[in-house]
Amino acid sequence: MEKQILALQIAHILGEEYPRNWVLNVIEIPKQESHGDLAFPCFPLAKTLRKNPNLIAEEIAQQIKHPVFHKVKPMGGYVNVFLDQTFVANHMLQQIFQDPAAYGSHEFGKGKSIVLDMSAPNIAKPFSMGHLRSTVIGNALANLAKKCGYETVKINYIGDYGTQFGKLLAAYLKWGNEEQLKENPIQELTRVYVEFHKAAEVDPSLIEEGRSWFKKLEDNDEEAVTLWKWFKDVSLSEFEKIYDLLGIEFDLTRGEAYYNNKMEGTIGLLKEKGLLEESEGAQIIRLDEEGLPPCLIRKSNGTTIYATRDLTAAIDRQRTYNFEEVLYVVGQEQTLHFQQVKQVLKKAGFQWAENLKHISFGMMLQDGKKMSTRQGKTVLLEQALEEAIKQAAKNIEEKNPYLEDRHTVAQQVGVGAVIFHDLKHDRRNDVEFSLEEMLTFEGHTAPYLQYAHARTTSLLEKGNFNPEEAVTSIQSESAWPVIKTLRLFPEIIEKAFKEYDPSKMAKHLLELAKNFNRFYAHTKIIGSDESQELLTLIYAVKLQLKEGLSLLGIEAPDHM
């Protein structure tokens, strides 16, 4: 609120050349508390106004007036604003307690829908730590979108089609063991897949054999389809165990194969538009004008590829959901693919293609190297989650052996640790897999936040706090760092969504927990003269920690 008020006043002072949104984007939060709570740099105005930034700052500072501003001071080319702490605190608490569940919500997405293409593990392969990224980033973005008013459709677009499944069929028929497949399906399918690629290094003809089996699958060969369906069913059953642990549900689970009988319609449409060209027996669409290599639509042997299916899926989703945006939460190595898909759709005349957005992310590394199922080098997500829960249970046993429902809390803490370890990083960066770092109960971790939340619960219980008796006025100066952080929640939600960056929420929660812990360590709360005011503030911290963690897909236990 305060930033908007300041931006509106400065825009009015500067005139039409500097609209409110421009001013809003320029306003900063000073790093040093002595420089106030908000700052507007005047350096960008110097050339246009032909004045020294210091003079501009002085002229602007003299004209800014509002009850929310305690003091406005020009400092080194900046307009530095000190907020009225009591005014801000009281206004914020009134907003929170008017409707606690709605605090931080926005309505700019109302009446619009967003489709999220996320998770998308490949059948017959283990659900590795690498797939965790798409799953938890996509889930957090869906939660943030809902908080901004959007209807969301989370689609788990299973990888169940393509040449690699021809290789898998060939591999199973050569080296597979039916009993082992029934006993431990993913492990057995992974074994033969790895065996295939090792053997193909010695005998390259195996690659062609794999392509031949995929052609059989596309042609509905009975043996190929029966085996493929079996592989798919056992894989989805195994994946469901992971999603249950993570607490993630989808609106639709659909494989690439769903579009097998719909791709001819897409190819026909592209042909009608005059976009298809023959090239060495294959069908392509040239994207020279867009500065991209040609997009392969059909191979010379008649099989389709990933791009053909994604083009078909995009057209189908627009017809079904009339989306505002489609967010493809897929690794950055697929950047070229999504650029091609988007440009092909635009060339075909689909204006909505501009709203297809690739939400790329870095790799999950192990010892600094990319994980690879093909080479047998991967960390299984289920094992990581189970180990995290086991370690959390051990910590609870040591520190609080009489805790009720220890198993549930251990699961909340262990799973939360794994999710937060991913989401605290900027999604575009690579993440080093480190079970030890995930499970640290101090520092930048989910257990640290969950413990802060449990501490608020403990304080509220000791103080016999009743939310219906909340006091929405507070005078305590020591609470100001907590109040300043709490009031940023709506802004953080909007930024995290619009920039598709859940790490902004993760970092906000860490800052809130840090400020709360400092406040708690240096302030007498229970039995003080202002006990009810301070407990009201602590309840607001509890609400925001819980809601913020929930937006990231993490639970917040009341006791740890």
Side-chain angles (χ1 to χ4, degrees):
M1 176 195 76
E2 303 82 17
K3 278 181 73 174
Q4 283 80 359
I5 293 170
L6 180 61
L8 188 64
Q9 290 205 4
I10 292 176
H12 180 73
I13 293 165
L14 294 174
E16 295 181 0
E17 195 171 344
Y18 297 96
R20 185 181 67 88
N21 283 342
W22 180 87
V23 177
L24 192 62
N25 289 329
V26 173
I27 292 172
E28 303 173 2
I29 296 176
K31 293 180 181 178
Q32 298 180 37
E33 286 189 19
S34 60
H35 289 177
D37 303 302
L38 298 171
F40 174 73
C42 297
F43 308 100
L45 308 174
K47 188 174 181 180
T48 308
L49 300 181
R50 297 180 182 179
K51 291 181 181 178
N52 185 292
N54 292 327
L55 180 59
I56 298 171
E58 287 177 13
E59 291 176 352
I60 292 175
Q62 289 173 4
Q63 300 179 65
I64 293 175
K65 288 181 175 53
H66 192 279
V68 76
F69 304 138
H70 171 64
K71 181 170 62 175
V72 182
K73 186 177 179 182
M75 298 172 67
Y78 284 82
V79 177
N80 289 64
V81 177
F82 297 76
L83 300 176
D84 185 301
Q85 297 181 11
T86 301
F87 183 96
V88 170
N90 297 350
H91 180 268
M92 180 198 69
L93 289 172
Q94 286 168 12
Q95 280 190 311
I96 291 175
F97 288 98
Q98 183 177 353
D99 187 351
Y103 187 65
S105 298
H106 299 278
E107 293 193 352
F108 57 80
K110 198 170 182 180
K112 302 173 184 176
S113 68
I114 286 181
V115 173
L116 296 101
D117 183 321
M118 53 181 280
S119 195
N122 293 319
I123 66 166
K125 290 184 182 180
F127 201 130
S128 73
M129 290 298 298
H131 286 106
L132 173 74
R133 302 221 67 195
S134 174
T135 307
V136 299
I137 293 169
N139 188 58
L141 290 176
N143 291 337
L144 288 163
K146 285 180 183 177
K147 195 77 174 173
C148 294
Y150 290 92
E151 293 284 332
T152 61
V153 182
K154 294 191 289 185
I155 299 178
N156 190 3
Y157 192 43
I158 299 291
D160 65 352
Y161 219 60
T163 306
Q164 70 267 34
F165 295 104
K167 295 175 184 178
L168 182 65
L169 290 168
Y172 178 75
L173 290 168
K174 283 183 180 295
W175 301 292
N177 182 306
E178 185 175 342
E179 291 304 315
Q180 289 294 324
L181 182 63
K182 289 178 180 177
E183 186 175 331
N184 199 328
I186 299 297
Q187 184 175 309
E188 175 63 8
L189 292 172
T190 302
R191 182 187 69 79
V192 298
Y193 188 74
V194 172
E195 185 71 27
F196 179 91
H197 284 279
K198 284 181 181 176
E201 291 178 6
V202 179
D203 180 8
S205 68
L206 284 172
I207 300 296
E208 194 54 45
E209 191 174 335
R211 288 174 181 155
S212 174
W213 271 103
F214 177 55
K215 184 68 169 68
K216 288 182 181 182
L217 185 60
E218 285 216 306
D219 292 340
N220 287 313
D221 174 85
E222 185 177 353
E223 183 180 18
V225 170
T226 300
L227 280 173
W228 171 79
K229 283 183 176 178
W230 185 25
F231 297 165
K232 182 174 180 178
D233 289 343
V234 295
S235 297
L236 290 176
S237 178
E238 292 297 304
F239 294 159
E240 200 56 43
K241 296 176 186 176
I242 305 292
Y243 294 128
D244 285 346
L245 271 177
L246 290 171
I248 291 176
E249 297 179 350
F250 297 94
D251 299 295
L252 179 67
T253 296
R254 176 171 284 170
E256 293 177 53
Y258 173 81
Y259 295 105
N260 189 30
N261 62 359
K262 298 174 176 59
M263 286 184 285
E264 288 303 323
T266 301
I267 294 170
L269 184 149
L270 296 173
K271 188 175 181 180
E272 284 177 21
K273 299 282 185 178
L275 299 175
L276 282 181
E277 290 185 28
E278 292 281 333
S279 177
E280 299 179 7
Q283 292 181 308
I284 65 167
I285 295 179
R286 295 200 177 278
L287 298 170
D288 301 354
E289 293 178 3
E290 290 77 16
L292 298 171
C295 182
L296 180 61
I297 300 297
R298 198 198 299 268
K299 294 181 181 179
S300 57
N301 67 357
T303 59
T304 56
I305 69 159
Y306 191 35
T308 327
R309 292 186 284 281
D310 261 2
L311 290 165
T312 307
I315 294 168
D316 179 64
R317 290 168 182 175
Q318 172 59 23
R319 288 171 180 164
T320 305
Y321 301 112
N322 190 29
F323 53 74
E324 179 75 11
E325 291 180 338
V326 173
L327 306 183
Y328 293 94
V329 189
V330 182
Q332 60 192 13
E333 62 271 19
Q334 293 293 326
T335 297
L336 175 60
H337 164 77
F338 287 109
Q339 287 175 338
Q340 290 177 312
V341 167
K342 186 172 185 172
Q343 293 304 323
V344 167
L345 289 167
K346 287 174 75 172
K347 288 188 79 149
F350 295 111
Q351 295 182 356
W352 49 260
E354 194 60 49
N355 297 324
L356 304 186
K357 297 181 180 178
H358 177 205
I359 310 303
S360 64
F361 53 83
M363 294 181 289
M364 182 70 76
L365 306 178
Q366 185 178 16
D367 299 324
K369 297 178 181 177
K370 180 182 178 181
M371 297 180 184
S372 171
T373 304
R374 183 178 298 182
Q375 297 174 16
K377 297 176 181 178
T378 189
V379 175
L380 302 187
L381 178 55
E382 186 173 16
Q383 291 177 0
L385 289 169
E386 287 174 352
E387 182 58 34
I389 294 168
K390 182 180 175 182
Q391 186 61 48
K394 182 180 176 183
N395 287 340
I396 290 169
E397 188 66 35
E398 291 173 358
K399 297 176 181 178
N400 193 359
Y402 302 108
L403 178 67
E404 291 184 15
D405 208 3
R406 284 176 293 169
H407 175 74
T408 300
V409 175
Q411 182 166 310
Q412 291 172 334
V413 173
V415 172
V418 174
I419 294 174
F420 192 80
H421 177 73
D422 188 306
L423 295 181
K424 72 179 181 181
H425 295 94
D426 186 303
R427 62 174 168 81
R428 293 161 292 195
N429 296 338
D430 294 339
V431 176
E432 179 70 33
F433 171 74
S434 169
L435 202 55
E436 183 180 355
E437 185 182 337
M438 290 178 191
L439 295 169
T440 301
F441 281 67
E442 297 176 0
H444 295 177
T445 66
Y448 171 74
L449 295 174
Q450 289 169 319
Y451 188 69
H453 175 266
R455 180 172 278 169
T456 63
T457 304
S458 176
L459 284 167
L460 293 167
E461 288 176 349
K462 287 178 182 176
N464 296 314
F465 179 75
N466 182 351
E468 293 181 4
E469 297 173 2
V471 179
T472 55
S473 62
I474 187 168
Q475 306 292 329
S476 173
E477 288 188 16
S478 63
W480 182 235
V482 177
I483 292 163
K484 281 203 299 182
T485 312
L486 283 170
R487 72 187 178 86
L488 291 174
F489 196 52
E491 181 182 332
I492 295 295
I493 288 171
E494 183 175 0
K495 275 190 174 181
F497 169 71
K498 287 186 174 179
E499 297 178 25
Y500 310 114
D501 183 8
S503 74
K504 282 185 165 46
M505 177 56 67
K507 288 164 186 169
H508 169 76
L509 295 176
L510 289 169
E511 183 70 14
L512 176 59
K514 180 187 75 174
N515 287 332
F516 161 69
N517 284 329
R518 283 179 181 170
F519 167 69
Y520 165 76
H522 296 98
T523 308
K524 183 181 179 182
I525 297 167
I526 308 298
S528 70
D529 292 339
E530 49 189 3
S531 172
Q532 195 66 9
E533 293 178 18
L534 299 180
L535 287 172
T536 299
L537 179 66
I538 288 167
Y539 185 64
V541 172
K542 173 183 167 68
L543 290 172
Q544 195 164 119
L545 285 172
K546 188 179 182 71
E547 177 69 2
L549 284 168
S550 177
L551 290 170
L552 297 179
I554 299 169
E555 294 187 78
D558 282 331
H559 302 282
M560 285 175 66

